[in-house]
Amino acid sequence: QVLILKGLKQEVSCLCPSPDGLHLAVGYEDGSIRVFSLLSGEANITFNGHKAAVTALQYDHLGGRLVSGSKDTDVIVWDVINESGLYRLRGHKDAVTQVLFLKEKNLLVTSGKDTLVKWWDLDTQHCFKTLVGHRTEVWGMALISEEKRLITGSADSELRVWDITYIQEVKDPDEPESKKSKGSSPGAEENAEEDETLELDEHPEERLVKCSKVGSIMREGRDRIVTLATDRTGKILACHGTDAVLEVFSVLSEEEVQKKLEKKMKKAKKKAKQNSEEEPERSVELSLQDEIQRVANVRASSKIKSFDLILSPKGELKIVLLLQNNIIESYNLNLSAQVPQAVRASRITIGGHRSDVRTLAFSSDNIAILSAAAESVKIWNRLTLQCIRTMDCEYALCSLFVPGDRQVIVGTKTGKLQLYDLASGSLMETLNAHDGAVWSIALSPDQRGFVTGGADKCVKFWEFELVKDESSVQKRLSMKHVRILQLDEDVLCVRYSPNQKLLAVSLLDCTVKIFYIDTLKFFLSLYGHKLPVLCMDISYDGTLIATGSADRNVKIWGLDFGDCHRSLFAHDDSVMYLQFVAKSHLFFTAGKDSKIKQWDADKFEHIQTLEGHHQEVWCLALSPNGDYVVSASHDKSLRLWERTREPLVLEEEREMQREAEYEESVAKEEQPVVAGETQGEIGLAGKKTIETIKAAERIMEAIELYREEMAKLMEHKAICKAAGKEVPFPVNPILRAYGNITPSAYVLEVFKKVKSSELEESLLVLPFSYVPDLLRLFNEYIHLGLEVELLCRALLFLLKIHFGQITGNHMLVTVIENLKKTTISRVSEARDVLGFNMAGLQYLKREIEAKDEVTFFADATDRFEEKKRKRKKKEKMVLAVL
């Protein structure tokens, strides 16, 4: 482990490294994108533009632009250097699955679940071509053969291959013969040239690129493509479906294809001679399968989630796979071998479970935590967070520590009770307790036994006993069945009251029945839930019982008369687990909405929400001292929460909750519209967030302060004039804090602090009444040559959105005239500086090249390869001579 990049609470949905390998772009479930520096581990840039999860990310070959596709069907192009959004491209009707930049031309290819592949011209920002050859969703795309071929993968086992021809290339008179379609007669070529000009006018979308289907390669997998990608060199193509097999293909380069073709020609000529024919009539063609060859299949130990490839110069392929069950595996594949076989090099696996944890328990000393899933029981040390024991088990549903914390009991889906010894980590005993699943287990308050409830409509009482062990002298612990309570419905949950007089049983008919323990006579029935009660708990003093149900409600009842004190709408989905904090009337609930909440059963108030899990929370456990909560979720993680000593102010919690709700509503609102513009394919990249609103408010406050200060200054001058002497002028405390700057300089400071990615959105929500002042200030700043780039960007945007009002306002005519002069002169100055610097750099480059006598950037590698080839030839010749 080298580096951990700390993100926010959301789940990561997409990753993309930058071409220079120094940055990593990370897309999140909530639609935000953060760019981390891999040197410092800090996230320096955040982009907010998408309303739903980011599904695809791609840098261009220089690393200056980043394109993102999302479930909200939009594609956004971001400027990484300026840290701002360039534009939003609309056109897909369903989630975007892949986005690719083309190196040669300023083009972008996007694919979506709407079965379309769209081609975008980024110079004019419009979609000029849509490929409609797919019957189902397009799940993946890759460019091969130096971007002359596009491969698409969809929901069937066919990889479709498309030829890409750039129209400028077709018209090139010096084009070599080899590029023309193989096997067509020369006459047809000439006709094609004549038709070209006619065709272009008939199909205006083909002015930039022609894309035609060549054929398809069959995969072995029958299901949809999950990931389809090439390595950096483009020589290796790999894909996988929803299973555990990665299929690897090799893409031949043009020279290799040419050699193959020549070999085939020779064979055909030989055959023709043998059959005593003249020249072979038909020309030889290579099939697509010859150009893209299957290398090998790599079978992983579980279903694959995603992968990456590196082809080393020696011809060995390194493959890294991330599997669905949280394991990372790496494989080596030797491509030069006769039959390439994938060898597993290493795997990274940490001590967690490979399936969902369905039950948790704390030991009585608050130190050990038990977690049990479908395949194993694990014991964790709470202090070090290390796994101490792992023991194989059947599918576990409930568990407890036996008093003394030396043994644990696990109830399983098949109705068994399994007793484990922690010291040896061995299974000591298995009892067939119920005919159906054991849904619940509860320790009796006197700690002499426990009770279990199962799907066979029984509640069974058990006692601990010491039995003689055949294999050793000492006695060992065992469980003895004492009594049984037969009911009419499946039992979902059982709980003892602390004084051991009552037993609460939750049934599948949505009620909770309460019985006397000594006689097993019926006492109370609690009914009111619309769906079955999945969890419940009784408070330490035995006065309250809280029940959590699949109808998303928690009800708090009195145990004296079975009256319902209050019903609380607790979660947005089923309440899965509920437990009281020791020695208090506070309780925690866990829900399928991935949240854990704390409640007060006396005041019926929601205290706080613990957010951290990304999927359903199945269960939680509170430590006996009430200081720790551990929770388990469908996202395969266990999370440990600690009670801090800092006081919790309910008002502050409510305020934070309101802010979060407001932020959500802002994101869902219709975005502000630019007057006079219709919704087209292109839109603004950003989105209205709480941050952009705050930024606009800060700009408004700064302009108001500027207005007030200017008015004060005028008054002060008048007073000085009347008094005939200099009167001291009171400085505004804010300006003093900034080091006694002028009001106009303060506005510029505020402006500079607005994040580059939020500038346009902030100006969009800025009321027009502030714009005239801003324009006058811009004129002043640009005249002084301050922040010319930033101000020009803001100025042009303001002119675009308020064009009608600005041109209709006579007061602003002179301001705009002045702006026109100052801006043009300042921008041309900046351009001259850039031009001068570029020329200087070009000169330095030529100097270095002349010194080294090597064309510095482009041809150094080519020459090296050439030398290598010559050396190899020499070696071969020497060997031949020897």
Side-chain angles (χ1 to χ4, degrees):
Q1 183 178 314
V2 188
L3 188 63
I4 292 180
L5 302 176
K6 283 265 190 285
L8 302 168
K9 285 180 184 168
Q10 281 75 25
E11 194 171 0
V12 173
S13 58
C14 191
L15 294 174
C16 178
S18 66
D20 59 8
L22 298 179
H23 294 91
L24 181 70
V26 181
Y28 291 92
E29 278 291 317
D30 65 345
S32 62
I33 300 163
R34 303 179 81 194
V35 181
F36 287 91
S37 158
L38 294 179
L39 299 175
S40 64
E42 300 289 313
N44 347 18
I45 309 172
T46 305
F47 293 133
N48 281 317
H50 291 294
K51 291 183 183 176
V54 178
T55 48
L57 282 173
Q58 185 75 37
Y59 275 96
D60 68 353
H61 67 290
L62 291 174
R65 287 178 303 175
L66 176 70
V67 62
S68 62
S70 161
K71 278 188 182 167
D72 64 7
T73 75
D74 288 349
V75 174
I76 302 182
V77 182
W78 307 93
D79 181 343
V80 181
I81 297 157
N82 194 18
E83 302 184 10
S84 65
L86 293 172
Y87 37 80
R88 178 189 301 262
L89 302 171
R90 302 190 187 95
H92 282 288
K93 302 277 183 290
D94 204 339
V96 180
T97 53
Q98 181 63 294
V99 285
L100 297 171
F101 274 111
L102 270 81
K103 257 193 207 126
E104 304 303 319
K105 306 273 186 291
N106 194 14
L107 302 178
L108 180 71
V109 195
T110 62
S111 66
K113 281 166 77 172
D114 52 5
T115 76
L116 304 177
V117 173
K118 285 182 171 286
W119 290 75
W120 306 84
D121 179 1
L122 295 183
D123 293 328
T124 55
Q125 294 139 29
H126 78 289
C127 172
F128 65 90
K129 189 177 189 62
T130 305
L131 296 184
V132 287
H134 301 89
R135 295 264 172 281
T136 53
E137 302 99 327
V138 182
W139 286 104
M141 284 193 305
L143 288 161
I144 55 164
S145 312
E146 291 160 0
E147 302 193 344
K148 295 205 173 61
R149 286 235 162 112
L150 178 72
I151 294 191
T152 55
S154 54
D156 47 23
S157 52
E158 213 178 312
L159 292 178
R160 293 171 177 76
V161 184
W162 310 76
D163 250 343
I164 303 170
T165 24
Y166 301 109
I167 300 305
Q168 286 85 336
E169 281 180 15
V170 175
K171 289 186 170 174
D172 193 0
D174 312 328
E175 192 183 62
E177 287 299 307
S178 64
K179 272 191 189 162
K180 290 182 180 164
S181 55
K182 294 166 194 140
S184 58
S185 58
E189 282 293 339
E190 283 162 25
N191 295 349
E193 286 291 325
E194 286 167 21
D195 294 347
E196 196 63 55
T197 47
L198 298 172
E199 231 176 71
L200 278 179
D201 294 331
E202 282 173 36
H203 303 285
E205 78 271 10
E206 296 198 338
R207 293 233 164 116
L208 297 164
V209 162
K210 257 188 158 180
C211 201
S212 52
K213 189 172 170 190
V214 190
S216 47
I217 308 160
M218 298 310 284
R219 297 191 295 128
E220 283 178 12
R222 289 270 162 270
D223 47 359
R224 77 172 181 91
I225 277 262
V226 176
T227 327
L228 169 72
T230 61
D231 71 321
R232 282 279 173 95
T233 58
K235 288 180 185 168
I236 303 292
L237 173 80
C239 63
H240 70 89
T242 51
D243 50 9
V245 178
L246 180 76
E247 300 180 40
V248 184
F249 299 90
S250 163
V251 182
L252 300 189
S253 64
E254 276 189 26
E255 290 116 40
E256 291 169 320
V257 170
Q258 214 55 40
K259 277 181 194 167
K260 265 207 156 180
L261 202 61
E262 281 164 17
K263 270 188 188 172
K264 270 206 164 182
M265 284 291 280
K266 277 181 188 171
K267 269 190 187 174
K269 278 180 184 171
K270 253 190 187 176
K271 232 182 190 179
K273 269 186 187 173
Q274 283 171 3
N275 299 351
S276 70
E277 285 177 17
E278 294 82 46
E279 277 296 291
E281 282 298 309
R282 55 193 180 78
S283 61
V284 178
E285 276 192 43
L286 275 185
S287 68
L288 194 61
Q289 272 67 23
D290 291 333
E291 292 180 42
I292 301 172
Q293 297 173 327
R294 179 181 294 281
V295 179
N297 284 356
V298 180
R299 185 170 287 281
S301 60
S302 175
K303 286 182 180 176
I304 303 173
K305 204 168 187 177
S306 65
F307 70 90
D308 203 5
L309 317 163
I310 294 179
L311 182 62
S312 64
K314 292 175 186 169
E316 188 180 42
L317 183 67
K318 289 193 166 72
I319 305 169
V320 179
L321 304 173
L322 170 64
L323 308 182
Q324 291 280 11
N325 63 7
N326 268 357
I327 294 179
I328 296 173
E329 295 188 336
S330 95
Y331 288 85
N332 290 345
L333 190 64
N334 190 1
L335 299 175
S336 50
Q338 208 65 42
V339 181
Q341 285 290 334
V343 184
R344 187 163 86 198
S346 60
R347 64 191 294 187
I348 302 172
T349 166
I350 44 178
H353 287 274
R354 297 283 157 251
S355 54
D356 289 11
V357 172
R358 299 309 293 251
T359 173
L360 291 165
F362 253 103
S363 64
S364 58
D365 59 4
N366 307 302
I367 289 174
I369 298 170
L370 173 151
S371 65
E375 80 298 316
S376 64
V377 180
K378 287 180 185 282
I379 308 293
W380 305 80
N381 181 332
R382 179 186 58 70
L383 299 166
T384 60
L385 304 180
Q386 295 301 314
C387 178
I388 325 167
R389 284 270 179 281
T390 300
M391 301 164 285
D392 292 338
C393 72
E394 291 186 25
Y395 199 119
L397 292 175
C398 55
S399 62
L400 56 80
F401 273 91
V402 175
D405 297 334
R406 300 227 178 127
Q407 292 90 4
V408 293
I409 297 173
V410 173
T412 70
K413 204 172 182 174
T414 50
K416 295 188 176 76
L417 284 179
Q418 296 185 306
L419 176 69
Y420 292 89
D421 179 52
L422 293 189
S424 61
S426 60
L427 175 64
M428 289 161 62
E429 191 176 356
T430 302
L431 288 178
N432 287 324
H434 291 267
D435 295 337
V438 182
W439 284 119
S440 182
I441 188 166
L443 189 67
S444 66
D446 64 4
Q447 303 198 337
R448 289 185 182 169
F450 60 94
V451 61
T452 58
D456 58 356
K457 306 180 184 178
C458 291
V459 174
K460 295 191 178 182
F461 293 82
W462 308 79
E463 276 181 7
F464 297 120
E465 60 171 359
L466 290 168
V467 295
K468 200 153 172 47
D469 197 359
E470 290 84 43
S471 55
S472 73
V473 189
Q474 291 175 325
K475 290 187 171 183
R476 69 170 178 82
L477 186 86
S478 177
M479 307 167 278
K480 183 174 74 175
H481 178 219
V482 203
R483 290 192 293 173
I484 186 166
L485 169 64
Q486 188 67 45
L487 295 154
D488 306 333
E489 293 281 344
D490 290 17
V491 177
L492 297 178
C493 189
V494 288
R495 286 288 178 269
Y496 275 105
S497 68
N499 58 10
Q500 210 165 335
K501 284 189 177 162
L502 302 172
L503 178 77
V505 182
S506 122
L507 302 173
L508 201 57
D509 62 2
C510 312
T511 63
V512 175
K513 302 257 192 294
I514 295 172
F515 298 90
Y516 290 106
I517 285 175
D518 47 6
T519 60
L520 293 188
K521 285 223 175 103
F522 174 73
F523 169 47
L524 289 171
S525 176
L526 314 177
Y527 54 88
H529 282 291
K530 296 183 181 65
L531 290 169
V533 173
L534 303 176
C535 53
M536 59 182 175
D537 200 15
I538 298 175
S539 63
Y540 74 102
D541 53 6
T543 55
L544 299 176
I545 176 169
T547 58
S549 158
D551 64 9
R552 308 182 288 184
N553 289 313
V554 166
K555 287 184 192 290
I556 298 163
W557 318 74
L559 255 187
D560 310 334
F561 311 107
D563 54 324
C564 179
H565 290 185
R566 184 66 65 94
S567 181
L568 304 167
F569 179 69
H571 289 270
D572 299 332
D573 208 332
S574 304
V575 183
M576 297 307 293
Y577 207 87
L578 185 153
Q579 193 175 347
F580 273 100
V581 180
K583 307 276 183 295
S584 79
H585 281 181
L586 304 178
F587 64 92
F588 281 94
T589 59
K592 268 193 179 177
D593 60 357
S594 73
K595 292 188 176 70
I596 298 165
K597 296 186 179 182
Q598 189 183 12
W599 307 83
D600 184 339
D602 291 332
K603 296 179 183 159
F604 315 119
E605 277 188 326
H606 170 216
I607 298 171
Q608 62 175 340
T609 302
L610 306 178
E611 288 181 8
H613 285 293
H614 305 309
Q615 283 164 326
E616 302 95 310
V617 184
W618 296 126
C619 55
L620 54 86
L622 269 110
S623 62
N625 63 5
D627 281 345
Y628 297 94
V629 177
V630 62
S631 57
S633 155
H634 182 49
D635 62 15
K636 309 271 192 304
S637 69
L638 296 178
R639 286 177 189 267
L640 181 67
W641 314 82
E642 184 180 7
R643 175 160 63 185
T644 56
R645 292 283 164 260
E646 62 185 78
L648 182 96
V649 183
L650 280 181
E651 284 309 309
E652 282 178 17
E653 287 293 315
R654 299 276 178 284
E655 185 62 34
M656 278 157 64
Q657 205 176 331
R658 278 197 292 275
E659 266 186 25
E661 279 167 14
Y662 176 64
E663 200 157 341
E664 264 181 34
S665 69
V666 162
K668 282 177 187 158
E669 270 176 29
E670 276 304 302
Q671 297 299 317
V673 186
V674 177
E677 284 203 5
T678 51
Q679 278 265 333
E681 282 183 335
I682 175 179
L684 280 178
K687 71 170 179 185
K688 185 174 167 187
T689 62
I690 201 102
E691 292 303 318
T692 60
I693 293 170
K694 280 181 184 167
E697 282 172 1
R698 283 198 296 274
I699 295 171
M700 281 149 64
E701 281 166 14
I703 294 171
E704 274 163 15
L705 184 136
Y706 166 74
R707 286 175 183 167
E708 283 168 21
E709 288 301 305
M710 288 326 251
K712 275 187 198 167
L713 204 63
M714 296 291 282
E715 269 178 39
H716 179 249
K717 276 181 184 167
I719 291 167
C720 289
K721 206 172 181 183
K725 61 175 185 186
E726 200 60 41
V727 180
F729 179 65
V731 181
N732 188 305
I734 296 175
L735 299 180
R736 187 172 288 159
Y738 274 84
N740 281 350
I741 56 173
T742 61
S744 60
Y746 172 67
V747 178
L748 183 62
E749 282 299 315
V750 169
F751 219 82
K752 280 180 358 197
K753 282 185 181 160
V754 177
K755 274 191 188 164
S756 181
S757 54
E758 292 164 2
L759 183 65
E760 274 91 355
E761 290 296 325
S762 307
L763 293 175
L764 247 189
V765 292
L766 192 72
F768 181 72
S769 56
Y770 293 94
V771 173
D773 286 324
L774 259 186
L775 293 178
R776 291 190 186 95
L777 285 166
F778 281 4
N779 190 17
E780 190 183 313
Y781 302 145
I782 295 173
H783 190 68
L784 296 169
L786 306 168
E787 300 292 332
V788 177
E789 266 184 67
L790 172 72
L791 295 176
C792 285
R793 186 178 145 202
L795 172 66
L796 293 174
F797 186 73
L798 285 173
L799 290 177
K800 179 181 160 188
I801 58 177
H802 297 304
F803 180 74
Q805 281 171 295
I806 291 173
T807 47
N809 190 335
H810 293 300
M811 307 284 284
L812 291 175
V813 175
T814 49
V815 180
I816 294 291
E817 283 297 321
N818 291 340
L819 267 170
K820 190 172 152 189
K821 285 177 201 154
T822 47
T823 310
I824 290 171
S825 65
R826 285 294 177 186
V827 169
S828 50
E829 266 176 41
R831 197 178 56 208
D832 293 346
V833 170
L834 279 175
F836 180 77
N837 290 348
M838 287 291 286
L841 287 169
Q842 293 282 347
Y843 172 71
L844 286 172
K845 180 178 151 186
R846 283 197 298 275
E847 287 284 296
I848 296 168
E849 281 178 8
K851 263 186 198 165
D852 297 358
E853 292 183 342
V854 174
T855 41
F856 189 52
F857 289 116
D859 299 344
T861 47
D862 293 11
R863 288 197 177 188
F864 178 66
E865 292 289 324
E866 196 64 36
K867 275 182 191 167
K868 228 177 169 180
R869 264 186 233 121
K870 280 181 183 166
R871 198 180 301 138
K872 273 193 180 168
K873 265 190 186 170
K874 260 188 194 168
E875 283 170 9
K876 275 184 187 168
M877 282 163 80
V878 170
L879 284 171
V881 170
L882 287 172

